[in-house]
Amino acid sequence: DKVVIKSSRPYSAIKRFLVIEKISGEKQNQKRPENDEKGKSIVAARENINLVGEWAKTYLTKDNFWTRDFPTTASSAFLVNFCPSEDATVIKLLREKGYQLLGKTALDEFACGGVGLYAATGPIFNPHHPGRVVGGSSSGSAVVVAQKIVPFALGHDTGDSVRRPAAYCGLVGFKPSYGLISRYGVIPMASSLDTVGILANKVSTAQEIFTILAQPDPYDLITTTKKKFLRPPRRKKIVTIDRLEKFLSPKLNKLYRQAQEKLEKLGYSITKINIPPRIRDNLQLTYLILCSTELVSHLNSLQGITYGPLDENEEIAKKRSDNLGLIVKE
């Protein structure tokens, strides 16, 4: 279907609306407040948007990707007026292939959180069960794909920020290997871990978008030029973690076994690897140390001079206190 996308109100850090209307005139989801009582819509709109095109070539992106046509806030009041002068590399690559960016999606502020409750615009809830969390921090991207507003959305994965909301919403959540997709123009959380990811309803859609985005970029020196990483594997092989079952509930254990059996019937060989206890027991602590220290370093630029509200008569500490959310301060 072709769709016309119009925003019903100016961009706002508090409430965002999107109108989706078929060209035939039949209106769908005419008023989708970002945080309505069912927690269904998480789309950042901008005044005077009027895009027409094939639905399959439309997408939304997490609001920590630079976009020249939309403000980039990272769902924080601190960046409500930040308008980048250029697009992130991945946005440029998609535009070159004819994809239309319809808007931006909310996230846990500055990607700090894994539940979707910490955006400056308010909490984001699971579209399948409004009483439950959607996961984060790419929360809004998961919701708009789950609701089939777009066929895919971009996310940003440091710990599990693409994979967790995808799992909670029944989607494909793809985090490529570190270095395959450029992060230039993505507001960082922890650069030694940050990865651009894709949320989609189909594996084929995620694969198609990945082949477009997996390009070397001189502005992100960790991107690789080794094309061998992009070739389909010669063998159907899947690696799982040994003794993972003991961490799962009985219901999840059953589903996990069924998934393995189905893959084996399709010709995949499953190999279990063992993670030594001394490594396994320190994984979370290592992640928290790296992530926290790098996040603090990145947030040092938020002082109202380089980024954020500029008022020469106001103390930097007060600007940060007034405009940063609780999850970031913690």
Side-chain angles (χ1 to χ4, degrees):
D1 289 337
K2 290 187 176 181
V3 295
V4 178
I5 307 296
K6 300 177 181 177
S7 66
S8 58
R9 296 194 180 183
Y11 181 93
S12 166
I14 306 303
K15 287 187 177 180
R16 302 167 183 181
F17 294 82
L18 183 72
V19 173
I20 299 184
E21 182 179 357
K22 283 192 175 181
I23 288 179
S24 64
E26 178 187 354
K27 294 185 178 180
Q28 292 185 336
N29 307 320
Q30 183 174 2
K31 190 175 182 181
R32 285 183 174 273
E34 177 171 356
N35 296 301
D36 61 11
E37 60 184 8
K38 294 184 178 180
K40 285 190 173 181
S41 182
I42 320 296
V43 180
R46 182 173 178 260
E47 194 171 19
N48 299 324
I49 299 174
N50 190 355
L51 301 176
V52 180
E54 296 294 338
W55 180 78
K57 300 282 278 189
T58 62
Y59 73 103
L60 289 148
T61 186
K62 188 175 180 177
D63 194 18
N64 61 342
F65 287 70
W66 285 7
T67 48
R68 68 187 188 196
D69 296 328
F70 298 87
T72 298
T73 73
S75 285
S76 174
F78 204 96
L79 293 181
V80 64
N81 294 316
F82 174 50
C83 297
S85 59
E86 62 178 326
D87 289 327
T89 294
V90 291
I91 305 297
K92 292 178 184 176
L93 291 171
L94 288 170
R95 179 182 286 114
E96 290 170 0
K97 294 295 183 179
Y99 286 85
Q100 297 185 70
L101 176 63
L102 303 185
K104 309 187 79 174
T105 60
L107 59 144
D108 285 313
E109 185 176 2
F110 287 108
C112 297
V115 290
L117 301 179
Y118 301 110
T121 47
I124 307 159
F125 298 105
N126 196 302
H128 302 305
H129 196 302
R132 298 187 178 184
V133 297
V134 67
S137 62
S138 303
S139 314
S141 291
V143 171
V144 295
V145 175
Q147 291 185 300
K148 295 183 171 57
I149 293 175
V150 286
F152 74 94
L154 296 182
H156 165 257
D157 194 312
T158 305
D160 55 5
S161 292
V162 164
R163 293 160 291 166
R164 180 187 294 193
Y168 286 8
C169 291
L171 304 173
V172 176
F174 178 48
K175 178 195 175 185
S177 296
Y178 185 77
L180 291 183
I181 296 180
S182 171
R183 304 159 305 167
Y184 178 73
V186 181
I187 295 175
M189 183 180 186
S191 294
S192 62
L193 300 168
D194 290 345
T195 308
V196 171
I198 302 161
L199 297 100
N201 277 303
K202 297 179 179 179
V203 172
S204 58
T205 301
Q207 182 182 26
E208 178 183 354
I209 301 307
F210 171 65
T211 57
I212 295 172
L213 302 184
Q215 306 290 339
D217 182 7
Y219 295 106
D220 187 350
L221 298 181
I222 62 100
T223 53
T224 181
T225 58
K226 296 180 180 179
K227 295 297 182 182
K228 68 178 183 179
F229 292 110
L230 307 180
R231 291 197 301 264
R234 295 178 181 177
R235 293 183 297 165
K236 292 183 175 181
K237 181 179 179 181
I238 292 178
V239 174
T240 63
I241 299 174
D242 189 26
R243 299 171 64 189
L244 179 64
E245 294 87 345
K246 76 173 189 176
F247 298 101
L248 303 177
S249 67
K251 183 177 180 180
L252 286 178
N253 250 318
K254 181 179 179 180
L255 293 171
Y256 183 60
R257 288 195 301 271
Q258 289 175 349
Q260 291 189 65
E261 291 169 1
K262 186 174 182 179
L263 288 168
E264 288 174 335
K265 289 179 181 178
L266 292 172
Y268 287 86
S269 64
I270 298 178
T271 302
K272 292 188 177 183
I273 60 171
N274 180 51
I275 299 178
R278 70 178 186 279
I279 295 178
R280 184 188 64 228
D281 295 343
N282 289 289
L283 280 175
Q284 184 176 14
L285 178 60
T286 304
Y287 167 78
L288 289 174
I289 292 172
L290 286 173
C291 191
S292 300
T293 53
E294 292 185 29
L295 175 64
V296 170
S297 176
H298 290 311
L299 292 181
N300 279 338
S301 63
L302 302 179
Q303 73 302 80
I305 299 173
T306 311
Y307 299 104
L310 179 61
D311 185 346
E312 295 178 355
N313 297 318
E314 187 178 14
E315 294 181 0
I316 291 175
K318 187 176 187 306
K319 293 177 188 177
R320 292 169 68 91
S321 178
D322 291 346
N323 292 285
L324 293 177
L326 180 62
I327 187 67
V328 178
K329 295 174 185 176
E330 290 179 344

